[in-house]
Coordinates of all heavy atoms in Angstrom, one line a residue:
Chain I
R329 N -14.8 -25.3 -1.8 CA -13.9 -25.1 -0.6 C -14.0 -26.3 0.3 O -13.0 -26.5 1.1 CB -14.4 -23.8 0.1 CG -14.2 -22.6 -0.7 CD -14.9 -21.4 -0.1 NE -14.6 -21.2 1.3 CZ -13.6 -20.5 1.7 NH1 -12.9 -19.8 0.8 NH2 -13.3 -20.4 3.0
R361 N -2.2 -32.3 1.1 CA -2.7 -31.1 0.5 C -2.3 -31.0 -1.0 O -3.0 -30.4 -1.8 CB -2.1 -29.8 1.2 CG -2.8 -29.5 2.5 CD -4.0 -28.7 2.3 NE -4.5 -28.1 3.5 CZ -5.7 -27.6 3.7 NH1 -6.6 -27.7 2.7 NH2 -6.1 -27.1 4.8
Q365 N -5.3 -28.6 -5.5 CA -4.9 -27.3 -5.4 C -6.0 -26.3 -6.0 O -6.8 -26.8 -6.7 CB -3.6 -27.0 -6.1 CG -2.4 -27.7 -5.3 CD -2.1 -26.9 -4.0 OE1 -1.9 -25.7 -4.0 NE2 -2.2 -27.6 -2.9
F368 N -7.6 -19.0 -7.2 CA -8.7 -18.1 -6.6 C -9.2 -17.1 -7.6 O -8.7 -16.9 -8.7 CB -8.1 -17.4 -5.4 CG -7.8 -18.4 -4.3 CD1 -6.6 -19.1 -4.3 CD2 -8.7 -18.7 -3.3 CE1 -6.3 -20.0 -3.3 CE2 -8.4 -19.6 -2.3 CZ -7.2 -20.2 -2.3
D370 N -9.8 -13.7 -7.1 CA -9.3 -12.3 -7.2 C -7.8 -12.2 -7.4 O -7.1 -12.6 -6.5 CB -9.7 -11.6 -5.8 CG -9.2 -10.2 -5.8 OD1 -8.7 -9.7 -6.8 OD2 -9.4 -9.6 -4.7
G373 N -6.3 -10.0 -4.6 CA -6.3 -10.5 -3.2 C -5.6 -11.8 -2.9 O -5.4 -12.1 -1.7
N376 N 0.0 -12.6 -1.6 CA 0.4 -11.7 -0.5 C 1.2 -10.6 -1.1 O 2.3 -10.8 -1.7 CB 1.3 -12.6 0.4 CG 1.7 -11.9 1.7 OD1 1.5 -10.7 1.8 ND2 2.1 -12.6 2.7
R378 N 3.3 -8.6 0.1 CA 4.6 -8.3 0.7 C 5.6 -9.4 0.4 O 6.7 -9.5 1.0 CB 4.5 -8.1 2.2 CG 3.8 -6.8 2.5 CD 3.7 -6.6 3.9 NE 2.8 -5.4 4.1 CZ 3.3 -4.2 4.3 NH1 4.6 -4.0 4.3 NH2 2.5 -3.2 4.4
R379 N 5.3 -10.3 -0.6 CA 6.2 -11.3 -0.9 C 6.5 -11.3 -2.4 O 5.6 -11.0 -3.2 CB 5.7 -12.7 -0.6 CG 5.9 -13.0 0.9 CD 5.4 -14.4 1.2 NE 5.8 -14.7 2.5 CZ 7.0 -15.2 2.9 NH1 7.9 -15.5 1.9 NH2 7.2 -15.5 4.1
Q387 N 7.1 -21.3 -2.1 CA 7.0 -21.5 -0.6 C 6.4 -22.8 -0.2 O 6.7 -23.4 0.8 CB 6.4 -20.4 0.1 CG 4.9 -20.1 -0.3 CD 4.4 -18.9 0.4 OE1 5.1 -18.2 1.1 NE2 3.1 -18.6 0.2
A391 N 8.2 -25.4 2.2 CA 7.5 -25.9 3.4 C 7.4 -27.4 3.5 O 7.3 -28.0 4.5 CB 6.1 -25.3 3.5
Chain U
E167 N -8.0 -13.9 0.4 CA -7.7 -15.1 -0.4 C -6.2 -15.6 -0.3 O -5.9 -16.7 -0.4 CB -8.0 -14.8 -1.9 CG -9.5 -15.0 -2.1 CD -9.9 -14.9 -3.6 OE1 -9.0 -14.6 -4.4 OE2 -11.0 -15.3 -3.9
F168 N -5.3 -14.6 -0.1 CA -3.9 -15.1 -0.1 C -3.6 -15.9 1.1 O -2.8 -16.8 1.1 CB -2.9 -13.9 -0.2 CG -2.7 -13.0 1.0 CD1 -1.8 -13.4 2.0 CD2 -3.4 -11.8 1.2 CE1 -1.6 -12.6 3.1 CE2 -3.2 -11.1 2.3 CZ -2.3 -11.5 3.3
Q170 N -5.9 -18.0 2.5 CA -6.5 -19.3 2.1 C -5.6 -20.0 1.2 O -5.5 -21.2 1.3 CB -7.9 -19.0 1.4 CG -8.8 -18.3 2.4 CD -10.2 -18.1 1.8 OE1 -10.4 -18.5 0.7 NE2 -11.0 -17.5 2.5
A171 N -4.9 -19.3 0.2 CA -4.0 -19.9 -0.7 C -2.9 -20.6 0.1 O -2.5 -21.7 -0.2 CB -3.5 -18.9 -1.7
R173 N -3.1 -21.8 3.1 CA -3.6 -23.0 3.8 C -3.7 -24.1 2.7 O -3.4 -25.2 3.0 CB -5.0 -22.7 4.4 CG -4.8 -21.9 5.7 CD -6.1 -21.5 6.2 NE -7.0 -22.6 6.5 CZ -8.3 -22.5 6.6 NH1 -8.9 -21.3 6.5 NH2 -9.0 -23.6 6.9
A174 N -4.2 -23.7 1.5 CA -4.4 -24.7 0.5 C -3.1 -25.4 0.1 O -3.1 -26.6 -0.3 CB -5.0 -24.1 -0.7
I175 N -1.9 -24.7 0.2 CA -0.7 -25.4 -0.2 C 0.0 -26.0 1.0 O 1.1 -26.5 1.0 CB 0.4 -24.5 -0.9 CG1 0.7 -23.2 -0.1 CG2 -0.1 -24.1 -2.3 CD1 1.8 -22.4 -0.7
G176 N -0.8 -26.1 2.1 CA -0.3 -26.9 3.3 C 0.7 -26.2 4.2 O 1.5 -26.9 4.8
L177 N 0.7 -24.9 4.3 CA 1.7 -24.3 5.2 C 1.1 -24.4 6.6 O -0.1 -24.5 6.9 CB 1.8 -22.8 4.9 CG 2.4 -22.4 3.5 CD1 2.5 -20.9 3.3 CD2 3.7 -23.1 3.3
E186 N 3.3 -14.7 6.9 CA 2.4 -14.3 5.8 C 1.5 -13.1 6.3 O 1.4 -12.1 5.7 CB 1.5 -15.4 5.3 CG 2.3 -16.6 4.8 CD 3.1 -16.3 3.6 OE1 2.6 -15.4 2.8 OE2 4.2 -16.9 3.4
P189 N 3.5 -9.5 8.5 CA 4.0 -8.4 7.8 C 3.0 -7.4 7.2 O 3.2 -6.2 7.2 CB 4.8 -9.0 6.6 CG 5.1 -10.4 7.1 CD 4.0 -10.8 8.0
N190 N 1.8 -8.0 6.9 CA 0.7 -7.1 6.4 C 0.0 -6.4 7.5 O -0.6 -5.3 7.3 CB -0.3 -8.0 5.7 CG 0.2 -8.4 4.3 OD1 0.3 -7.6 3.4 ND2 0.5 -9.7 4.2

Side-chain angles (χ1 to χ4, degrees):
Chain I
R329 294 166 55 89
R361 282 276 192 195
Q365 287 290 302
F368 293 85
D370 179 5
N376 187 345
R378 290 177 189 267
R379 282 185 170 272
Q387 63 183 4
Chain U
E167 279 191 347
F168 75 84
Q170 298 181 4
R173 286 175 57 199
I175 56 176
L177 298 184
E186 302 294 328
N190 286 288

